[in-house]
Amino acid sequence: MDQSNPSSSRDQWYPHLSVQMQEHHLAPISGSIESHETAETAAWRELKEETTLTPRDIDLWRKGKPYTFSDPSVGRQWTVFPLLFRLKDSREGGRGEEGIQIDWEHESWEWYSPDTIQDDEKFGGVPRLKESLRRVWFESDMNERASKALTAGLAELKADHQSGSHELTSIALRAFRDVIAQLEEYIDTKWWETARMAAWHLWKNGRESMGAATLNAFLGLLADMEEIVHDILDRKIKLERLLALIDHHLDKRKDMPTRIKRSFASYLEGNFLPTAIAWPTPSLVILTFSASSTIRDSILEAFASLPIPNLDLRILESRPLCEGVNMASSILSTFQSRFPPSSDRHLKLTVYSDASAALASKGVDFVLLGSDRISDSGSVSNKTGSLPAILSARHVCPAAKVLVVSELEKVAEPGAESDHSHEENDPKELVGCWVDSGIKGVKILADGIEADRDNTNYAVEVKNIYFEWVPARLIDAYICEEGTLDVIAIQQKAQQVKEKADRYFDQL
């Protein structure tokens, strides 16, 4: 087993697709988490030390729900953080099985089917091996149709880099409905545990960096499902009611953007209009970025309701996927159909490069920020480029107000902002842009990225991080479906999220 960490009463280990022979027992790649590490950081370190595999060769495929157990034989309590990795083949730039080179801790390695793993002495595995595996290999807890539905839902969430949190949450709920429809077992305590674990996987293993909204949606849904699950009813009737309930929650989500639009219009009427109408040529000047259907519709609805003839809208392009360009196109199209040339409404639409944030900030009234997650401190995780844009606006135009326009469901449970997962995406998205633009020197840079670091004296990385944090001190107000909120209201919401998450997921 693993060596103890003398600085902690808990040691952690993690299963990996490649199962090893360690001290004559079948074991996964495992190790203790150092005080300065997260579970994922420690797992990557152990993988490199014990197999030489790196992110070039594998990617993190699934996380499992952590669990704790006591081992009386050594008088120790263990907390296990199961993580499942996928081995890349040569077409993906990996070394495949040739990259696996075990160290002194292991006698040999080979592949095992998850179905063969057992938690008993006769099998010869390390303690709780099957329990750890089932937490990342949910297929063992579900029938084939249900597990396929969950796998398909996770794949759709992982692959979608265009939709915002609101749309991704609806995708997660629809995937959950597909899973529930296929869970044919009797609806009892065990069924309820499996259903909650499916919801946990869709939250954690879909797009966790944008998962706060998904978590809140599931917590509200599970609270309503619980009463039906424990009713004394025929199974068929229970299932019909559960599916109808999920459909109701999906339909209810359609009203949320409308309520946010009203909140934004009310905010402008009370905090902007009294001053603006006194200007010789009243204008509403807004800077925003990325793509948010909520922000797009809120801007146009508010503009339509205000007695202000001119809208000066500036949008940053938001590389590498240029979502800001898509939003600008959508806004222009909607404006053209809604306000004919004969109307008294005028739009000045300007798309800026991300590097031009300071230039775009000159004279703005508002900087509108969407959110993928709001921490309990009120800080906001949003598209990379948000923080430079807001800092620029604060410097260039100190009077500008920074508003977060977002669903309240994006408030996350309490925790350090560094604890929230920030996905690092394929650097090829950036490199591909450079290649398409004909930038000189791209090939040598691309070759440097792929170089074997064990045989070179240099390292080349291209970072493609989608999200960054904007501190709460830079934000003036939060516009949501419940109106205009402050940081204290956000903190209260975060505590409510924690209490509900503990109720439905803590004992899984």
Side-chain angles (χ1 to χ4, degrees), residues 220-278:
L221 174 60
L222 292 173
D224 290 344
M225 289 178 65
E226 187 172 24
E227 183 177 348
I228 298 174
V229 168
H230 297 303
D231 271 352
I232 303 175
L233 295 169
D234 177 76
R235 181 198 174 281
K236 184 177 180 180
I237 295 175
K238 272 190 183 183
L239 184 60
E240 289 175 352
R241 289 182 61 184
L242 288 169
L243 294 177
L245 178 63
I246 298 173
D247 290 337
H248 171 69
H249 274 251
L250 282 164
D251 287 339
K252 190 169 62 173
R253 295 182 59 74
K254 299 174 184 177
D255 298 332
M256 205 177 296
T258 299
R259 294 167 63 190
I260 295 174
K261 286 186 287 186
R262 291 172 184 160
S263 296
F264 181 62
S266 296
Y267 178 89
L268 293 184
E269 287 172 6
N271 296 275
F272 175 70
L273 185 58
T275 302
I277 57 177

Side-chain angles (χ1 to χ4, degrees), residues 293-343:
S293 58
T294 301
I295 287 181
R296 177 198 66 201
D297 295 342
S298 294
I299 291 172
L300 292 175
E301 287 293 332
F303 179 58
S305 67
L306 295 173
I308 295 177
N310 302 303
L311 173 60
D312 183 346
L313 184 57
R314 301 145 186 206
I315 303 177
L316 300 183
E317 61 177 344
S318 300
R319 292 174 70 87
L321 301 182
C322 298
E323 301 96 333
V325 178
N326 294 334
M327 181 147 114
S329 173
S330 178
I331 285 177
L332 179 58
S333 176
T334 304
F335 182 88
Q336 289 171 332
S337 62
R338 185 162 186 174
F339 303 102
S342 59
S343 72

Side-chain angles (χ1 to χ4, degrees), residues 152-176:
L154 290 173
E156 184 176 3
L157 289 167
K158 284 176 179 288
D160 190 335
H161 286 184
Q162 295 289 343
S163 299
S165 296
H166 185 80
E167 292 85 356
L168 288 170
T169 296
S170 295
I171 291 171
L173 288 174
R174 287 193 291 269
F176 184 67

